[in-house]
Amino acid sequence: MTFDLLIRNARLAAGPDLLDIAVAEGRIAALAAGLRCEAVEEVDARGALAFPGFTDAHVHLDKACILDRCRICEGTLAEAVRETAKAKAGFTEDDVYRRAARVVEKAIAHGTTAMRSFVEIDPRAGFRSFAALTRIRTDFAFAVDIQLCAFAQEGLTQEPETLAMLDQALADGADLVGGCPYTDPDPAEHIRLIFDLAEKHDVDVDFHLDFDLNPERTNLPAVIAETARRGWGGRVTIGHVTNFAAMLPERVEAIGRALAEAGIALVALPATDLFLNGREMPVLTPRGVAPLHRLAGEGVVTAVATNNVLNPFTPYGDGSLIRMANLQANVAQVSRGEDLALAFDMVTSLPGRIINRSRRLETGGEATIVLVDAADPGSAVREVARVIGGWKSGRKSFWNGWPALFYPSARDV
């Protein structure tokens, strides 16, 4: 039999043995050592780690790459929200498309095969960003699956027209709905309204939550209560929750158990959370990043994601999730192999569960495969492993290739 693709000498996360992966019609047809067969395309993985690609469970494509339009003087969350609100009033559909495409292209080259992007929909942004990202979702489907979360960044109760616009976006193809209670004068009502939309359209919910370092100011109990009341367990995600960083471990663990029981997942955004938090403390500045490893130990589905790229929320970034996993591991001060492997899971399988894009490399499974230059997941995080190339449903979607060093000959020395 002649296969469409044969990847030889690859490693899987499950073990150190080298295996061959044969692909036919977009599916994995065989997975074994030393396959005797031919293929239209044959690639030697040279012992690289093969996996289904990275998943970015929280990114803002619509407001990426706007540093040239905004100022950063305070470096605070309030300033970032204010400056971005000013800028997005001038967004056009083509402008959003170009900036989003720039980030998506980089993310693909860094091995991302699935992502959830928030898209702000309100009287200032209108539906322009939504229209642009809907095009992005279609145009880049050859390499990455993109979910769009219709998102209320600047509140609901003080601006009821936003609620109607979110409703329309969900009717027009948005995949889920998201809210930001801390920007609303009535956070509890904001949460209730977002759940109303989720119930009406039967979609998941994703909240930006508790983005400060005050452990006593929280909207988490309201989210937990609404999740239970609506029977939405397993369909709710919360992002940031940076006030976890200001809590004693025992309290973090107790809340973690409540989140796990409620079926609420948590995504940390270390680049943004580090940049915006703790500026009022000139010495011993806190990290301000949720302790994901501790929460995972209590059964919470946890993930690490990009959030923003080159804007007032995060004035740097390149869409690399292996870099984010390494950053989270540094912040968490973990070093054991199993903890680093968990950090890898937080940018692969765990966010895959969150956005309902779980994939495994197995016979009969989808042939979405990425190679990274590492022997195992822990090493990939520890070394910020180089991404070599990838395939989406058996079709090559990007190729970075192998590094090459050109040593001088003895005669040249």
Side-chain angles (χ1 to χ4, degrees):
M1 180 178 181
T2 299
F3 294 103
D4 300 323
L5 169 67
L6 180 62
I7 303 173
R8 292 201 180 276
N9 303 313
R11 298 181 193 275
L12 302 187
D17 296 336
L18 297 183
L19 299 173
D20 299 339
I21 307 170
V23 174
E25 298 181 346
R27 317 296 295 185
I28 296 176
L31 186 62
L35 287 175
R36 297 174 63 86
C37 57
E38 295 182 356
V40 175
E41 178 187 11
E42 184 168 325
V43 175
D44 185 355
R46 305 184 191 181
L49 178 68
F51 69 108
F54 297 110
T55 295
D56 200 332
H58 185 130
V59 65
H60 293 264
L61 295 175
D62 55 339
K63 55 191 183 188
C65 308
I66 57 170
L67 280 178
D68 58 334
R69 312 175 196 187
C70 303
R71 65 176 185 174
I72 302 177
C73 298
E74 304 161 10
T76 62
L77 174 61
E79 180 187 55
V81 172
R82 186 172 64 246
E83 287 294 307
T84 304
K86 293 177 186 176
K88 74 181 179 183
F91 289 177
T92 67
E93 182 179 333
D94 287 344
D95 164 52
V96 174
Y97 185 97
R98 285 193 300 271
R99 290 184 287 101
R102 175 181 168 189
V103 175
V104 171
E105 286 168 353
K106 288 185 177 182
I108 291 168
H110 285 302
T112 296
T113 57
M115 58 172 54
R116 171 181 289 178
S117 177
F118 294 85
V119 53
E120 295 183 23
I121 298 173
D122 56 35
R124 285 156 299 287
F127 292 100
R128 299 184 300 278
S129 295
F130 179 59
L133 294 193
T134 299
R135 290 167 52 201
I136 289 283
R137 180 173 60 183
T138 299
D139 292 351
F140 287 91
F142 72 93
V144 59
D145 295 329
I146 300 178
Q147 277 188 352
L148 296 181
C149 179
F151 179 54
Q153 170 72 76
E154 299 174 45
L156 282 175
T157 63
Q158 82 282 28
E159 197 169 64
E161 54 266 51
T162 297
L163 187 66
M165 295 176 74
L166 293 175
D167 190 18
Q168 185 62 53
L170 289 165
D172 290 343
D175 299 290
L176 69 158
V177 65
C180 191
Y182 59 76
T183 63
D184 197 296
D186 189 344
E189 180 66 4
H190 181 110
I191 291 165
R192 187 187 69 78
L193 291 171
I194 292 295
F195 270 101
D196 283 348
L197 287 173
E199 276 196 321
K200 177 180 177 180
H201 295 275
D202 191 23
V203 296
D204 291 359
V205 174
D206 201 326
F207 288 107
H208 291 39
L209 209 66
D210 295 357
F211 198 175
D212 56 42
L213 295 177
N214 183 351
E216 306 309 319
R217 185 172 61 216
T218 176
N219 294 305
L220 186 52
V223 172
I224 293 174
E226 286 292 331
T227 301
R229 187 169 76 85
R230 314 277 182 144
W232 235 245
R235 304 188 67 180
V236 178
T237 306
I238 53 177
H240 297 292
V241 201
T242 55
N243 62 5
F244 269 129
M247 297 180 191
L248 292 172
E250 303 79 38
R251 186 176 176 190
V252 170
E253 291 163 3
I255 297 174
R257 290 190 290 272
L259 289 174
E261 182 178 354
I264 297 174
L266 171 64
V267 182
L269 300 314
T272 301
D273 297 346
L274 285 166
F275 179 73
L276 294 177
N277 274 303
R279 288 179 176 270
E280 69 279 9
M281 301 179 68
V283 296
L284 296 178
T285 305
R287 291 179 174 86
V289 179
L292 295 188
H293 281 72
R294 190 177 297 279
L295 290 161
E298 301 302 326
V300 181
V301 177
T302 56
V304 176
T306 297
N307 196 39
N308 282 285
V309 177
L310 302 177
N311 69 16
F313 293 88
T314 320
Y316 29 67
D318 61 355
S320 169
L321 283 173
I322 194 63
R323 186 173 66 83
M324 285 298 164
N326 177 274
L327 178 59
Q328 182 74 27
N330 273 273
V331 171
Q333 298 178 316
V334 297
S335 60
R336 297 185 307 171
E338 56 265 40
D339 290 330
L340 292 169
L342 177 56
F344 188 83
D345 290 344
M346 289 179 186
V347 290
T348 54
S349 60
L350 292 172
R353 289 173 57 184
I354 290 172
I355 74 167
N356 303 310
R357 292 291 190 280
S358 294
R359 297 186 177 105
R360 297 178 60 186
L361 298 189
E362 58 187 1
T363 302
E366 180 184 315
T368 293
I369 305 164
V370 170
L371 299 177
V372 294
D373 192 8
D376 55 71
S379 298
V381 173
R382 196 188 300 275
E383 302 171 19
V384 192
R386 189 174 187 276
V387 180
I388 299 160
W391 296 261
K392 175 74 157 44
S393 297
R395 176 192 175 277
K396 184 181 284 186
S397 51
F398 75 98
W399 189 255
N400 298 321
W402 302 91
L405 299 181
F406 300 96
Y407 291 99
S409 66
R411 186 173 58 185
D412 295 334
V413 174

